[in-house]
Amino acid sequence: MRSLFLLLPLLGRALGTDAAKQLDAKVPIYLGDAFWPPTMTFLAWLPEENTEIRPEPQAQVSVQSADDSDESDDLYPHWCNTAVDVSEGSFSLNGIDNLKMHDYFEDKAHITRDGERFADCFVTPESTRVGVCKRGHKFAGPATRRWTCWTT
């Protein structure tokens, strides 16, 4: 019984390292924003090899106007379906919980996990506009990838 109590801290560490392995250190985390006045939504997402994916059928919203053509096969930028809203504070990404973005509008941004620095962020050549989701999508408006973050 005593040996069981000695193994509990090791079990906690083992579980913690499994969560950290879910995000490869070679894969960046992108931070950006989608802006449709008067709302700016802060986003986080991971890159994909294929930069565009087809939307999930349940994610489509049938909103049609005179300037919309009937192009149901349009490709969305992948972030439209994979990004998470980080505007409210803590967020989860790829199974890693308790992440929080800091200093988005400063010279150097970073991400913390459980209060400790998790990733440092940099402006890179990838910092650019990344497209627009179709009308009716949860991330309305044109989006910009501002930061590329690397786990520490």
Side-chain angles (χ1 to χ4, degrees):
M1 183 71 162
R2 183 177 173 158
S3 61
L4 178 63
F5 288 114
L6 294 173
L7 292 176
L8 285 177
L10 294 175
L11 179 62
R13 286 187 192 149
L15 291 175
T17 57
D18 287 343
K21 288 181 183 176
Q22 292 177 358
L23 188 59
D24 186 352
K26 296 177 186 173
V27 176
I29 301 169
Y30 296 132
L31 296 179
D33 58 79
F35 181 63
W36 190 256
T39 304
M40 178 178 275
T41 306
F42 297 103
L43 310 170
W45 71 96
L46 299 172
E48 289 189 352
E49 287 181 20
N50 182 9
T51 59
E52 295 182 335
I53 62 170
R54 296 194 180 273
E56 297 292 325
Q58 66 271 15
Q60 292 180 2
V61 177
S62 44
V63 174
Q64 193 100 15
S65 70
D67 62 350
D68 285 341
S69 60
D70 186 19
E71 298 179 13
S72 58
D73 290 333
D74 280 352
L75 296 177
Y76 289 156
H78 84 277
W79 64 266
C80 288
N81 294 318
T82 61
V84 294
D85 185 344
V86 302
S87 304
E88 299 298 320
S90 292
F91 64 96
S92 297
L93 192 62
N94 207 39
I96 301 172
D97 299 327
N98 301 320
L99 297 172
K100 189 171 183 179
M101 171 186 68
H102 298 274
D103 302 328
Y104 186 81
F105 291 111
E106 301 298 326
D107 292 338
K108 222 161 177 200
H110 65 279
I111 299 172
T112 58
R113 180 176 185 215
D114 296 325
E116 294 186 20
R117 191 173 286 253
F118 180 74
D120 290 318
C121 306
F122 305 91
V123 174
T124 68
E126 294 178 318
S127 301
T128 185
R129 293 188 184 268
V130 291
V132 179
C133 299
K134 283 195 107 164
R135 197 173 310 191
H137 194 275
K138 66 180 177 177
F139 299 128
T144 303
R145 176 175 44 226
R146 300 220 186 264
W147 297 99
T148 301
C149 308
W150 302 94
T151 57
T152 55

